[in-house]
Amino acid sequence: MKSATPHLRRAVLLATAALCSSVAGLPHAAGQANLSSAPPAKPAALSDQQRRDAEQAYLDGARLLDRHAIEPALQRFERAAQLDPTHSEYALAATVAREHLVTALVQQASQARLAGHPNESQRLLAQAIALDPQNAIAAQHATTPPPAQQIETPQLDTAIQADPTLAGAVALAPNHSTQSFHIRADVQQTLTQVTAAFGIRAVFDPTVTRQMLRFDLDHTTYAECMPILLDMTHLLAVPLDAQSIFLAPDTPDNRQRLERQLEETIYLPALTNEQRTELGNVVKNIFDLKQSAVQNSTGTLTLRAPANLLPAINYTLADLIDGGSEVLLDVSLYAIDRSRTRETGTSLPQQFGIYNVNSAAQQLVSQNQSLVNQAIASGLIPANASNLTIALALIASGLVQSSLLSTTVGIFGGGLTQSGITASSNPTFTLALNSSETHALDAVQLRVGDHQSGTFRSGTRYPITTSTYTSGTANSSALSGVTINGVSASSLLSQYLGTASSVTVPQIQYEDLGLTFKASPIVQKTDDVTIHLDLKIEALAGTALNNIPVLASRQIVSDMTLHDGQTALLVSSLSKAETAAVNGTPGLGELPGFSSALSDRSAQNTSSQMVMLVTPHIVRHRSHTLASPQILLHIPQTD
């Protein structure tokens, strides 16, 4: 165990040194603590038990620090430094742990303040200041000055004892009496008498004139009369100390030269670099600041401004960096498609033909005379048979095919006038019903910030050829004699391009097929939500024009104002189509009682319905309490 102790101590020292580098001023403070005008007193002899206990406490603190248990680690380091003051690394480790604990408390206080718990934030800041009263970060975040604490410091040199803190604004302290004035004198005498009445000494710039002035004011205080008097004389008053002011002409040059500027660093948490830059521009343009800088690396805004402007700047930034409202949009899109087709009845032939049976039989026999001779020779057909008998025998044997037999519906007459009747089709009986119904529900939930825009897409990106252009290939004869790595350029061109004389290049554009929903909500002070909606449904229509698909699109763009949780019907679309067709024999198909039996009727009903419902929910409210003063406007009610 003793052999491993130096290695563990060395590892803890390296970790402590790395942590020290992130805490500004710690190495110098540690070095200054060793400075003294008198030689340090010789420490008392330590026992071996004290050294072992101090080393064990130091190692326990290092283990706790590695597990991010900062407060218990600080207690172990302080215990080690108390048991063995001769080891400076014990005190240095305690200092580093204390600084990290203070930083963690400041971060927790900032989170509590943003969550709306100012008391918890003040408690955490007070705890951080109690741990390290000289910590600049904790002092900056504290809204009230920490209580003064008695800190024993060693006797150092005069230069080291000087406190390098920045001085605050000079506060003028006039008496709180009420005075009345009836003065007729020049400007300097009037101002001298008025300020002297409240215990203030006036010092004038050489450029202040001695113009005569009459000043009458009764029962007034210093805060009431001085702005009036300065406005009458066009002078600027700058405090020199608690009982003195310097008066000069109120000009832009004098204000820039004489007004006291205070420096302030404002922490801007949870903001992007663009948002911090925008806040810096707002402060610079609205308050006309000449010196302000945004530090994105530290997340701060450093500025110099007169003391009377700093509260207004802080009020404005407190309102701007507060998180805005957020809205959850609940959108439901219902689509119902119905299709019904019914076909019933009888379909009779619409065309009839007539032909001479003997002529048709004679033509069939003459066209197949060789088959007829073979059939007679083999005894299949009698030698003295008629042409009609021979034709029927050939058709029945399958040796000859004829459409007359399949389309003939009857034969009438005899002899040379025997005729046959043909029909274009056979009678059909139909009894069919086709019905389809489709229900579709698209439920979209979109969470969007106040004055922000959100987009939801569901579907595919379909490539569509919008146009084509043709480019001619290079003439290989012009490349004769040109070689690339020993190979003829004309042969390479013909190898890759072939024998084609032109190349067709298409222009492709991708379309978003499906549902595209865009929303931009604005939360009103009355908790009403104004929404700008853009809904688009796009799909392929199933047809094409010049090999370019046709798109079916539905789009609605609307602005509406709804209460929190109120549902609105945004759009409702209903389309119906009915078609009917009758196929039958003229005259017979129109007679009562024969229309259903001797005709074929087809009926088709198609309906499509779409309903869109929108419901906004405010899931995060912006604070209605503004840090800056409000101007109340009273509008009288009219009958």
Side-chain angles (χ1 to χ4, degrees):
M1 181 64 185
K2 291 183 179 180
S3 60
T5 300
H7 298 285
L8 182 58
R9 182 187 303 170
R10 186 179 301 108
V12 174
L13 286 175
L14 290 176
T16 305
L19 293 174
C20 290
S21 62
S22 63
V23 182
L26 288 181
H28 301 284
Q32 292 175 359
N34 295 327
L35 298 177
S36 178
S37 58
K42 184 177 181 180
L46 300 176
S47 62
D48 294 339
Q49 184 64 32
Q50 287 180 329
R51 296 182 185 275
R52 287 194 296 271
D53 293 345
E55 185 175 358
Q56 185 62 37
Y58 178 70
L59 295 177
D60 293 342
R63 296 188 184 95
L64 291 172
L65 187 63
D66 185 60
R67 293 196 295 267
H68 303 286
I70 304 177
E71 189 171 359
L74 175 61
Q75 297 175 359
R76 299 298 191 280
F77 289 148
E78 290 179 346
R79 175 63 177 168
Q82 183 181 3
L83 291 174
D84 189 0
T86 60
H87 283 73
S88 59
E89 62 268 20
Y90 296 166
L92 184 60
T95 303
V96 172
R98 185 181 299 106
E99 293 295 332
H100 278 268
L101 182 57
V102 169
T103 303
L105 291 173
V106 171
Q107 293 176 354
Q108 295 175 9
S110 299
Q111 294 175 359
R113 181 179 60 81
L114 293 177
H117 305 291
N119 295 332
E120 179 67 14
S121 176
Q122 291 299 322
R123 186 187 66 81
L124 294 172
L125 287 175
Q127 185 178 353
I129 294 175
L131 287 174
D132 188 1
Q134 304 299 327
N135 190 282
I137 299 178
Q140 173 188 341
H141 285 76
T143 56
T144 58
Q149 298 184 6
Q150 300 295 331
I151 303 175
E152 296 183 0
T153 56
Q155 297 295 330
L156 305 178
D157 295 339
T158 305
I160 299 176
Q161 292 179 0
D163 187 8
T165 56
L166 296 177
V170 176
L172 197 63
N175 57 47
H176 300 287
S177 61
T178 301
Q179 303 290 337
S180 297
F181 301 99
H182 302 280
I183 305 172
R184 183 176 179 84
D186 60 24
V187 172
Q188 294 189 13
Q189 293 177 358
T190 303
L191 285 168
T192 302
Q193 295 181 30
V194 172
T195 55
F198 295 101
I200 301 299
R201 182 174 63 93
V203 180
F204 295 94
D205 187 86
T207 57
V208 177
T209 62
R210 292 185 173 272
Q211 183 180 0
M212 295 302 295
L213 180 68
R214 182 174 180 177
F215 183 66
D216 295 306
L217 199 60
D218 293 327
H219 305 292
T220 181
T221 62
Y222 180 85
E224 295 173 346
C225 73
M226 279 304 294
I228 299 175
L229 188 55
L230 293 176
D231 188 53
M232 293 174 60
T233 58
H234 304 288
L235 294 181
L236 170 68
V238 179
L240 298 177
D241 52 36
Q243 304 297 330
S244 303
I245 59 173
F246 182 77
L247 298 167
D250 190 0
T251 61
D253 294 338
N254 286 339
R255 283 189 173 273
Q256 185 176 1
R257 179 174 58 91
L258 298 176
E259 278 188 335
R260 294 182 180 271
Q261 302 281 330
L262 296 184
E263 181 179 346
E264 183 178 7
T265 301
I266 302 174
Y267 180 54
L268 304 176
L271 297 180
T272 62
N273 295 340
E274 292 77 9
Q275 291 174 336
R276 293 192 188 97
T277 302
E278 185 176 355
L279 287 180
N281 294 332
V282 168
V283 172
K284 183 181 298 183
N285 296 330
I286 297 299
F287 297 98
D288 195 19
L289 295 185
K290 304 299 181 183
Q291 297 177 336
S292 64
V294 176
Q295 301 294 333
N296 291 322
S297 59
T298 58
T300 59
L301 170 63
T302 304
L303 52 89
R304 294 186 64 187
N308 58 344
L309 283 182
L310 290 180
I313 294 174
N314 283 271
Y315 288 150
T316 303
L317 292 179
D319 293 337
L320 292 178
I321 66 177
D322 184 20
S325 302
E326 290 186 358
V327 179
L328 178 65
L329 296 177
D330 194 351
V331 180
S332 299
L333 183 65
Y334 301 92
I336 301 175
D337 295 326
R338 294 187 180 94
S339 178
R340 184 182 180 89
T341 304
R342 183 178 60 184
E343 186 175 0
T344 58
T346 303
S347 179
L348 299 177
Q350 303 294 321
Q351 295 179 353
F352 294 91
I354 187 171
Y355 66 95
N356 188 275
V357 175
N358 292 326
S359 300
Q362 184 178 1
Q363 183 180 3
L364 181 64
V365 170
S366 61
Q367 291 177 351
N368 300 278
Q369 189 64 45
S370 59
L371 293 176
V372 173
N373 295 334
Q374 293 177 6
I376 294 174
S378 60
L380 296 176
I381 300 175
N384 57 353
S386 63
N387 291 331
L388 180 60
T389 303
I390 296 174
L392 293 176
L394 292 177
I395 295 175
S397 64
L399 297 176
V400 177
Q401 295 181 357
S402 175
S403 60
L404 293 178
L405 183 61
S406 59
T407 60
T408 299
V409 296
I411 298 175
F412 65 93
L416 297 177
T417 61
Q418 188 177 14
S419 302
I421 300 175
T422 62
S424 60
S425 61
N426 296 324
T428 58
F429 300 93
T430 305
L431 186 62
L433 174 65
N434 293 326
S435 178
S436 65
E437 186 170 350
T438 303
H439 297 259
L441 169 62
D442 290 330
V444 180
Q445 287 187 338
L446 185 63
R447 181 165 178 166
V448 190
D450 187 17
H451 290 83
Q452 303 295 324
S453 60
T455 302
F456 174 81
R457 288 191 177 95
S458 177
T460 59
R461 291 181 60 83
Y462 189 81
I464 296 178
T465 302
T466 58
S467 62
T468 59
Y469 69 91
T470 304
S471 62
T473 59
N475 189 2
S476 59
S477 62
L479 300 177
S480 60
V482 179
T483 59
I484 300 176
N485 294 329
V487 181
S488 174
S490 59
S491 62
L492 291 175
L493 185 63
S494 61
Q495 178 181 355
Y496 286 100
L497 300 180
T499 59
S501 59
S502 62
V503 177
T504 301
V505 180
Q507 299 291 323
I508 302 298
Q509 178 180 346
Y510 284 88
E511 290 288 337
D512 291 323
L513 300 184
L515 175 65
T516 302
F517 176 68
K518 299 179 181 180
S520 300
I522 300 176
V523 180
Q524 308 292 341
K525 193 174 181 180
T526 57
D527 283 343
D528 291 344
V529 182
T530 300
I531 313 171
H532 175 77
L533 293 178
D534 186 353
L535 177 67
K536 184 177 182 181
I537 302 175
E538 197 168 29
L540 294 175
T543 58
L545 181 62
N546 295 331
N547 295 326
I548 298 176
V550 178
L551 301 180
S553 177
R554 292 180 179 179
Q555 185 174 9
I556 178 173
V557 179
S558 177
D559 293 288
M560 62 175 59
T561 300
L562 301 174
H563 295 296
D564 183 14
Q566 182 183 9
T567 301
L569 175 63
L570 182 63
V571 61
S572 178
S573 174
L574 177 62
S575 60
K576 287 187 176 182
E578 297 182 3
T579 58
V582 178
N583 183 15
T585 304
L588 294 178
E590 299 174 355
L591 293 176
F594 292 91
S595 60
S596 59
L598 300 179
S599 62
D600 185 12
R601 293 181 174 272
S602 176
Q604 183 177 2
N605 297 329
T606 303
S607 64
S608 177
Q609 185 176 5
M610 185 180 69
V611 178
M612 181 179 178
L613 302 176
V614 179
T615 307
H617 302 280
I618 302 178
V619 295
R620 186 181 187 276
H621 290 268
R622 180 185 178 94
S623 176
H624 292 295
T625 304
L626 297 179
S628 57
Q630 302 183 29
I631 300 176
L632 300 180
L633 178 62
H634 175 69
I635 302 177
Q637 297 181 356
T638 58
D639 296 335

